[in-house]
Amino acid sequence: MIALGLFTLLATDITKRSPWSPAEWQILVNIGREEGSWMPETWATSGARLSFPMDVMVASDYNTAEKDKECEFMGGNSMRLVVLEDPTFVSSDGEQFIGIREEGAWKMQMPKQRGTAGILRFWVDVEQADGLSQGVGALRNDVTLPAERIFFMSKCWREEDLKIAARKMKPYETAAEEAQRKVEEQLSHETGDRRLDGTDPLETALGTISMAKLIKDRDDRMRELREAENTLPRNAERLKLGFWPGTDEKLAIGEGTIAVKRKKFFGDEFHILGKWRAIPILQKEDSTILEQNR
């Protein structure tokens, strides 16, 4: 019995996953004009998107090849990220490959307080595409992916933190949904405020005042929801959990931003190129990236 117990203990230790084991994730890249972007006015104005999945492996060893570079963005001591294969997308010319250098870097900063978000940052280098203009790595309609270093940033939560944060977020989501429901109900042809029909000037004025109050309340609740999104997850139940080096707990990564760096007189600016999501590689069949790439 003692020998059997020792064998079971050894087997458990052998099969237990190390918190520093590398992990594979799929990054769902969605390039296109975003609100607040500083990209040129002629860039991606058609509303088209350039979307593609990018499979990466995140390792726990230091990125020595780029040591001390991008400290402003990464914070120093970044880890190695490996792009497993060149991603592809479909354009009017058929399947197109995007050249991305094999190694990039990542850095994660996790909070000490439970229930709050950490920050994940990483970068990859996009290469010049054959047959396209200088400095262009990929092209779809009027959306161009620059051939340069591309920066990714997002909030992230450990599994237990996500549960706590989702409970904190729920009242904001509920309040915003209820305020929107009241506005739609007031405007409905079936159940709406008949004073807004305009048959009686006084009643119409009273109805307009009532409607304005509902709209203001809706806008206030939406503003509070957007502010809450700075630290809390929206639609937390949709986030996929997976392992990441440096933690025993599974990790959920929220939707993040993609940017390029532009030098200015008094430092660098990051210009938003699009957004991204991440799912563990074993769950990549859940990706809807092909539906977005139309």
Side-chain angles (χ1 to χ4, degrees):
M1 292 293 294
I2 295 177
L4 179 60
L6 179 59
F7 175 80
T8 302
L9 179 61
L10 289 173
T12 301
D13 287 343
I14 291 172
T15 58
K16 184 178 180 181
R17 183 185 184 278
S18 166
W20 294 105
S21 295
E24 295 182 10
W25 286 69
Q26 184 175 84
I27 309 301
L28 307 178
V29 179
N30 194 332
I31 303 295
R33 181 161 289 278
E34 299 288 335
E35 183 179 355
S37 176
W38 293 348
M39 292 297 288
E41 293 183 0
T42 56
W43 183 81
T45 57
S46 69
R49 310 293 296 193
L50 169 58
S51 302
F52 57 89
M54 179 176 67
D55 292 352
V56 302
M57 181 190 73
V58 285
S60 59
D61 51 320
Y62 286 111
N63 180 43
T64 55
E66 294 285 341
K67 186 174 177 58
D68 297 329
K69 289 188 177 181
E70 308 299 353
C71 283
E72 180 184 0
F73 179 74
M74 303 291 281
N77 293 328
S78 59
M79 304 291 185
R80 192 166 58 93
L81 177 143
V82 179
V83 179
L84 298 178
E85 59 182 319
D86 287 341
T88 64
F89 70 98
V90 178
S91 72
S92 58
D93 297 323
E95 185 179 40
Q96 306 293 315
F97 285 84
I98 302 174
I100 298 182
R101 293 182 186 173
E102 181 178 338
E103 291 206 8
W106 68 272
K107 178 72 177 290
M108 184 179 293
Q109 295 173 303
M110 298 304 295
K112 295 180 180 179
Q113 182 180 354
R114 299 299 293 190
T116 55
I119 298 293
L120 170 63
R121 297 179 175 89
F122 71 91
W123 56 257
V124 298
D125 290 323
V126 178
E127 298 180 327
Q128 170 70 41
D130 294 336
L132 296 182
S133 302
Q134 183 64 32
V136 176
L139 172 67
R140 185 173 187 268
N141 296 343
D142 64 343
V143 182
T144 58
L145 177 64
E148 58 184 276
R149 183 157 292 177
I150 308 297
F151 298 85
F152 296 72
M153 184 173 71
S154 179
K155 295 184 289 292
C156 57
W157 295 266
R158 290 167 294 208
E159 186 169 10
E160 288 304 312
D161 291 332
L162 182 67
K163 295 177 183 178
I164 297 170
R167 287 196 291 269
K168 291 180 179 179
M169 185 58 145
K170 191 63 177 177
Y172 295 103
E173 293 177 331
T174 301
E177 291 169 0
E178 178 64 14
Q180 179 63 30
R181 185 193 64 78
K182 289 181 179 179
V183 169
E184 294 174 353
E185 187 177 75
Q186 194 83 338
L187 292 173
S188 170
H189 290 295
E190 291 77 19
T191 61
D193 191 341
R194 297 277 66 85
R195 294 177 301 175
L196 298 175
D197 291 343
T199 56
D200 184 303
L202 178 59
E203 289 297 312
T204 299
L206 293 174
T208 301
I209 292 173
S210 177
M211 189 71 216
K213 290 180 179 178
L214 289 178
I215 291 176
K216 182 181 184 304
D217 181 67
R218 188 273 311 274
D219 292 345
D220 288 344
R221 301 294 82 76
M222 290 301 297
R223 174 180 49 79
E224 291 170 356
L225 178 60
R226 288 192 297 270
E227 291 174 353
E229 285 181 315
N230 291 328
T231 55
L232 300 174
R234 185 80 183 270
N235 300 317
E237 68 280 358
R238 299 180 186 178
L239 299 180
K240 303 295 184 181
L241 289 159
F243 289 107
W244 195 281
T247 176
D248 283 323
E249 294 185 64
K250 287 186 176 180
L251 199 75
I253 301 172
E255 184 176 74
T257 56
I258 306 171
V260 289
K261 185 165 60 175
R262 295 289 179 264
K263 290 191 175 296
K264 296 296 180 181
F265 291 111
F266 300 104
D268 296 325
E269 293 177 348
F270 287 89
H271 294 209
I272 298 175
L273 284 181
K275 53 192 177 183
W276 66 282
R277 295 188 298 113
I279 55 176
I281 205 77
L282 294 178
Q283 299 173 1
K284 69 179 181 181
E285 63 272 10
D286 295 336
S287 169
T288 58
I289 201 71
L290 294 179
E291 296 178 5
Q292 299 171 355
N293 194 15
R294 61 181 185 272

